Amino acid sequence: MLHYGALTVAAKRRKEFAGATLQDVHALLCRLIEEFAPDAMAVENIFTALNIRTALRLAEVRGVVLLAAAQHDLEVHSYAPREVKASVAGYGQADKRQMQTMVRALLSMTETPEPADAADALAVALCHLQAEQVRRRFGLPHQNTAMRPRALNAVAGVTGRTTSIRTSGATRNKMPRILSTR
């Protein structure tokens, strides 16, 4: 783990204009991608929320996250919340506190990651690392190839543009560098 945290946008900034939060999320992600040069991005699938407004906001933020990844030619892997919980805590119904405790233990952290959203983002990264290890060990193909930059270009009908997926020599045959956000 190189860095973790959660973005908080001030109420005053959110009131300035409707897209302030989305703009801040995009700017932060782009800065983090440029600073840490990850090989892949892991995100959590949007779950069915009881509150439609919350689900729509999450979808907007997810769109900004996917845009930042595409702009930086990052491969994106998406995981269901229960898959993340099962992978990290061994139980698909684990609560926030259990996830924070397991993330702390798995990463040998001295303190519990706060806020819970930051621990969730670390859990998504751990889930991806585990899935990637299994994929490599058994020579399995990527499950969500539709999320890969090349596939996104093909679906969008982009031609004449080559998109490369970075596999830097620094991580070849080692754990990939991954930036996970939530």
Side-chain angles (χ1 to χ4, degrees), residues 50-144:
L50 296 175
N51 184 333
I52 299 293
R53 181 174 285 170
T54 301
L56 289 173
R57 285 186 183 149
L58 287 172
E60 289 172 345
V61 172
R62 181 179 166 86
V64 169
V65 169
L66 295 177
L67 172 65
Q71 288 174 331
H72 291 87
D73 294 326
L74 279 179
E75 193 172 305
V76 176
H77 300 271
S78 191
Y79 299 94
R82 286 187 182 185
E83 182 180 5
V84 173
K85 291 176 180 183
S87 174
V88 173
Y91 176 57
Q93 298 293 327
D95 64 26
K96 292 264 187 201
R97 199 77 193 133
Q98 290 171 313
M99 292 300 290
Q100 285 176 293
T101 301
M102 286 305 298
V103 166
R104 177 183 176 175
L106 290 170
L107 293 175
S108 302
M109 299 172 77
T110 57
E111 296 179 2
T112 301
E114 291 288 345
D117 289 337
D120 289 346
L122 290 170
V124 172
L126 287 168
C127 176
H128 175 67
L129 287 173
Q130 183 179 30
E132 192 64 12
Q133 285 176 335
V134 168
R135 187 191 68 76
R136 286 182 181 180
R137 175 175 284 159
F138 297 106
L140 302 172
H142 286 283
Q143 289 296 317
N144 51 358

